[in-house]
Amino acid sequence: MDASPELTALFERKLDELQFGPGDRLLVFRPVACGLGGQLSGRLLTLAMALALGRKAVFLGLTDPPYGQTLAALHDEGHDLTGLDAAPIVEIAADQPDRIVVHDPKLMSVHGAEFTATLLQKASARLGTSIPSRILLEGLAFNWMKVAPKVVAWNEAQRVRLGVDGDTLGVHFRRGDKAVETAFVPAAVINARIAEIHAAWPFAKLFLASDSPNAPQEIVCPAGVELIFDTQEQRFNNANHKMLMEQPELVEQETLVAFKNIHLLSICGGVVGQDNAHFATIAAASILARGTPPERIALISGRIAEENNPMLARYFRVKAMARAIARRLLPHMTASARMERAMRRAR
């Protein structure tokens, strides 16, 4: 079954029953220190796995530090978490007898074809209808999520101020700290996707979300299309979550700004971004789950520059190896270790 009102209603009913019903078989999400998009993606996958396995997804708090609260409660309260520290990592293909299993992104791989196929097969069986893609499954989960009232009001105020709506193409132009992981996706590649979508769907507006203040100079907006770029947004062009560990006074501001961009991208009528940037993948999932034609969604390989340049690919392989060695030799400098220290200072 493709995205439809009937599928959405079925999914939401099943997840409501699971998350707010009497079940005591739990799947607990253990978050890691990362950006807000990564934390939300971790929650989405936890919900999808919980549905597939018939377990209740339990989150250890309403916030995922170093960010503040964006979501309302996603499950009922009062769960007995005795034994959590010794609970096994969830295995999507296994029928684990344990009362509690754990989704820990640091300790499990969730990107392989076998994992995805099993997830979809089990989720489809629970729903009694076919879920053809993981992006659709995660989009249904994102659209089900309850957002905190304060954040709902903020998001709506920003939507009205900027004029983003369903006749807008969202473009996520990732710069900043992404170069730590991969080479930047060339602007020319993103511009080509924008032009292709516009030829088939003549959108009236383009909402440009970027951590670079120079983004409007690099993105080509089709003739006659209004460019929406939030000039009031402060852009740090860095690894935002690491900054917040050291500057907690910015937490509320940066949490709202980050969630605003995710929300605005997700309510557009289409999106262009890269497949290793959570803002773009969450937005694409949400848009697809509303029944939008998939031709309006373009998730470009985040490694496209390296795929077309062997020397660049070698450079980033060496860089990744150096980072892995540094994490082993200097564990106190990792983001997780820094997050633990920041949380101790806050107590």
Side-chain angles (χ1 to χ4, degrees), residues 168-204:
T168 305
L169 176 71
V171 176
H172 184 234
F173 188 55
R174 181 68 188 269
R175 289 302 185 252
D177 66 303
K178 181 54 67 175
V180 172
E181 304 167 10
T182 58
F184 290 143
V185 173
V189 175
I190 294 175
N191 288 330
R193 299 299 189 278
I194 293 170
E196 289 169 6
I197 292 176
H198 188 255
W201 168 50
F203 51 85

Side-chain angles (χ1 to χ4, degrees), residues 15 18-19 27 45-57:
L15 201 51
L18 194 61
Q19 292 300 103
L27 171 56
L45 182 56
T46 303
L47 288 167
M49 287 193 291
L51 177 72
L53 297 171
R55 291 179 176 270
K56 181 176 297 190

Side-chain angles (χ1 to χ4, degrees), residues 85-221:
D85 290 343
I89 299 299
V90 63
E91 297 179 35
I92 194 66
D95 184 14
Q96 295 170 284
D98 310 83
R99 186 177 66 86
I100 300 176
V101 294
V102 174
H103 172 205
D104 188 332
K106 291 184 299 187
L107 301 177
M108 58 186 294
S109 175
V110 297
H111 299 296
E114 184 176 350
F115 174 91
T116 296
T118 304
L119 174 67
L120 293 176
Q121 181 269 320
K122 291 195 170 187
S124 297
R126 292 282 176 186
L127 292 171
T129 188
S130 174
I131 304 294
S133 70
R134 178 166 163 176
I135 189 171
L136 173 58
L137 179 62
E138 294 188 5
L140 289 166
F142 180 75
N143 293 348
W144 171 88
M145 279 180 163
K146 284 72 175 168
V147 180
K150 175 182 177 181
V151 181
V152 171
W154 160 262
N155 285 340
E156 178 59 13
Q158 306 316 303
R159 186 197 69 76
V160 171
R161 175 173 67 88
L162 293 168
V164 176
D165 56 26
D167 203 22
T168 305
L169 176 71
V171 176
H172 184 234
F173 188 55
R174 181 68 188 269
R175 289 302 185 252
D177 66 303
K178 181 54 67 175
V180 172
E181 304 167 10
T182 58
F184 290 143
V185 173
V189 175
I190 294 175
N191 288 330
R193 299 299 189 278
I194 293 170
E196 289 169 6
I197 292 176
H198 188 255
W201 168 50
F203 51 85
K205 293 175 276 190
L206 186 155
F207 168 59
L208 178 57
S210 179
D211 40 14
S212 170
N214 299 320
Q217 283 72 57
E218 297 189 67
I219 295 302
V220 177
C221 196

Side-chain angles (χ1 to χ4, degrees), residues 272-305:
V272 175
Q274 59 192 74
D275 64 4
N276 62 342
H278 294 289
F279 281 30
T281 58
I282 290 172
S286 175
I287 291 168
L288 186 67
R290 294 201 308 271
T292 300
E295 295 77 18
R296 297 184 183 182
I297 297 169
L299 289 178
I300 302 160
S301 169
R303 298 187 180 276
I304 193 168

Side-chain angles (χ1 to χ4, degrees), residues 69 195 293:
Q69 182 180 357

Side-chain angles (χ1 to χ4, degrees), residues 11-26:
F11 180 91
E12 293 184 348
R13 176 170 59 81
K14 291 288 188 180
L15 201 51
D16 279 337
E17 291 171 356
L18 194 61
Q19 292 300 103
F20 297 98
D24 63 353
R25 282 168 46 84
L26 310 179

